[in-house]
Amino acid sequence: MHRRPRAVPSRSLVLSSETAPRATVSSTGGFVISARPAQEFGDNPVEVRETGHYTEEYVPSFVEKWDALIDWEKRAESEGNFFIDLLRKRGVRSVLDVATGTGFHSVRLLEAGFETVSADGSADMLAMAFENGMKHGDHILRVVQADWRWLNRDVHGEYDAIVCLGNSFTHLFSERDRRKALAEFYAMLKHDGILILDQRNYDAILDRGYSSKHTYYYCGEDVAVEPEYVDEGLCRMRYRFPDSVYHLNMFPLRKDYTRRLMSEVGFQRVETYGDFQHTYRDEQPDFFVHIAEKEYRMEDQEEGGYGGAVNTARSYYNSPDADAFYSSVWGGEDIHVGVYTGDEEPIADASRRTVEQMAEGLGLTEDSVVLDLGSGFGGSARYLADTYGCRVRALNLSEVENQRHRELNSVRGLTDRIEVVDGSFEDIPFPANSVDVVWSQDAFLHSGDRLRVLEEIRRVLKPGGRLVFTDPMAADGTSLADIQPILDRIHLDDMGSPGFYTRELTRLGFVAQQHKGAEGGFEDLREQLVTHYGRVLQETERQEAEGLGQKVSSDYLTQMKKGLTHWVEGGRARRLTWGIFRFTLA
């Protein structure tokens, strides 16, 4: 039986016909109306960085103008049924609106038939929301004043969904408060509940300055909204009306930081939209919308589930930053370590040389079937299909990369030779003994169970089939402590090594193939790893000077350059290595 949420406000709302009322709590628990002065930020407004100060910023005169800022009709038109459809699709019935404001979303949710409880930290906002509920459809809002950090104290029950909209989460200035609030949201959700939280695109504001399409969120006319002051710890927004000016001090949340906090608090999956669009590669959105799932799902391979390290890699390579970076900097079609003939050689040329050298001696023909694991943008698959006429099954976990892969195949007229499949190499969706060659480039490091990957490869290969792959690895004998910065960067507990792969492949019945003097089935090309990551770092810095930051966030580029440096240093110190493995299944 569906349990109806209980949300019994500990304070009853007493409405008044007075203009610009202030609702304060009396000793008896009711709301009392009184006057309140204008906003106060003290002598140095940019030093006001306290979570609780927002209640003083929403003074009655500002609250009265809030609906003019939003423009309910235009907001509803631009937003459409995005949230309504999303909630219905997930079977939601009960919703807690924790950032009610003047009630726009609470009223829309009630109109759509959702059981809705409306909470906010500002009593003045709740008073206006209550009035708006009556004005827009005679809805009696169930309101409760609550601080997110102690939400379970003031609001009771469990909900199918919690919505925290209107850029409200940026009112929390300390990470402790943000974690506490997210934990309270998590606790109030049912086991399969979802949190929907939006935020401004502060990455763009911090990295490139403020711009806005002024389309989706603040639609009111004769209202100017822009930041008056910005640093990494404060975005002071100015709201200029024809007859008055107001300010809000907010913390400029970066998108990936918010996603990370959600995951660390316990949410299992976080999906991010830009201005209500799933992908937003071509332009910077004004707002991000995060949908975080509470439900813990055991990995269900029949439904294409991903787990652990694989899911982390999928989220990373599906991100707009990664997509833009790898296509612009890493080599275009080939996004793996290259084999260089000189330190200044173009990355794309060296990356293609890796493909050519790996293909040597495989004996590919038009009858051959190649399985490319972790195929990325498909450069290797197109080279093999075009050069040898073979058929290629390209398995890759990033839907974003796979879409680009399919588009490039179509342009090259290779759609009939290459099958692009969404999936994980930890559970290969092909029959046993069905492929002649398994091929992979720099992908296995992303697995949390590399032995399982090798077992799957043995299963799908025909007897006598060939395995050729590369992987960035720890050098044999390297301790985890020595490569911890790398592991932290790629969110892994460990890495493979030449000894690990050679030992386990031999145990599984593979036989090492000799190639140009390389012994034991492994051609050690450590120096190429150092050269490649150094070249990618140089290219990143060159393109950054020419405007790469217009396509890739500053935070992403900073972390990427730091990570590339770790790879170069690790390679030079002989703690990391890379090379080509060649084995045959006996």
Side-chain angles (χ1 to χ4, degrees), residues 198-330:
D198 72 7
Q199 65 168 97
R200 273 188 179 276
N201 183 353
Y202 289 108
D203 291 81
I205 294 174
L206 290 166
D207 299 339
R208 292 181 285 279
Y210 178 74
S211 66
S212 174
K213 296 185 287 294
H214 207 61
T215 300
Y216 294 102
Y217 280 78
Y218 300 123
C219 305
E221 297 179 358
D222 300 323
V223 183
V225 182
E226 59 185 351
E228 185 174 274
Y229 174 89
V230 179
D231 64 31
E232 288 287 344
L234 175 71
C235 180
R236 179 170 169 80
M237 296 296 296
R238 179 174 61 235
Y239 301 83
R240 188 185 301 277
F241 297 87
D243 58 351
S244 56
V245 176
Y246 297 90
H247 295 84
L248 291 176
N249 281 12
M250 293 174 282
F251 183 86
L253 291 164
R254 287 191 177 271
K255 177 195 66 178
D256 289 340
Y257 169 79
T258 306
R259 288 169 52 89
R260 175 171 62 82
L261 282 186
M262 290 176 165
S263 296
E264 291 179 355
V265 166
F267 288 99
Q268 296 300 305
R269 290 172 178 79
V270 182
E271 191 170 17
T272 300
Y273 294 73
D275 287 342
F276 314 124
Q277 303 296 317
H278 188 266
T279 58
Y280 42 93
R281 181 187 306 154
D282 296 332
E283 61 181 10
Q284 288 292 331
D286 285 347
F287 272 70
F288 293 115
V289 180
H290 307 289
I291 296 94
E293 299 180 3
K294 178 176 181 178
E295 181 179 12
Y296 181 83
R297 301 176 185 172
M298 297 300 291
E299 188 175 354
D300 186 346
Q301 298 299 333
E302 292 184 356
E303 296 182 0
Y306 300 102
V310 172
N311 195 52
T312 299
R314 174 175 175 264
S315 297
Y316 172 77
Y317 285 108
N318 270 339
S319 72
D321 278 337
D323 183 49
F325 179 82
Y326 283 95
S327 61
S328 299
V329 177
W330 203 278

Side-chain angles (χ1 to χ4, degrees), residues 47 76 80 92 102 106 124 132 174 202 222 227 256 266 277 291 361 368 379 386 408 439 445 473 484 503 522 580:
E47 292 301 318
V92 168
T102 57
S106 284
D124 294 300
N132 280 334
S174 75
Y202 289 108
D222 300 323
D256 289 340
Q277 303 296 317
I291 296 94
S368 301
D386 195 31
L408 292 171
W439 171 293
L445 80 159
M473 299 166 288
Q484 196 60 50
R503 180 181 68 253
F522 175 60
I580 303 174

Side-chain angles (χ1 to χ4, degrees), residues 332-343:
E333 291 192 34
D334 297 309
I335 50 177
H336 49 252
V337 175
V339 174
Y340 293 78
T341 58
D343 291 342

Side-chain angles (χ1 to χ4, degrees), residues 2-5 79-97 104-118 139-142 159-163 165 190 194 196:
H2 179 75
R3 179 167 55 180
R4 184 180 182 86
E79 183 179 296
N81 287 326
F82 175 82
F83 294 112
I84 303 301
D85 291 344
L86 190 154
L87 293 170
R88 284 176 174 164
K89 181 179 179 181
R90 293 171 181 263
V92 168
R93 294 182 61 186
S94 59
V95 182
L96 174 60
D97 181 0
F104 173 78
H105 283 106
S106 284
V107 171
R108 294 209 73 196
L109 291 167
L110 287 168
E111 289 176 343
F114 294 100
E115 300 172 6
T116 306
V117 172
S118 306
H139 298 290
I140 300 177
L141 269 63
R142 300 162 62 194
Y159 298 82
D160 298 318
I162 290 177
V163 297
L165 304 176
K190 295 179 181 177
I194 60 168
I196 304 177

Side-chain angles (χ1 to χ4, degrees), residues 21-40:
R22 181 187 182 186
T24 58
V25 182
S26 72
S27 59
T28 59
F31 277 78
V32 179
I33 305 304
S34 64
R36 182 157 45 142
Q39 291 180 319
E40 295 182 3

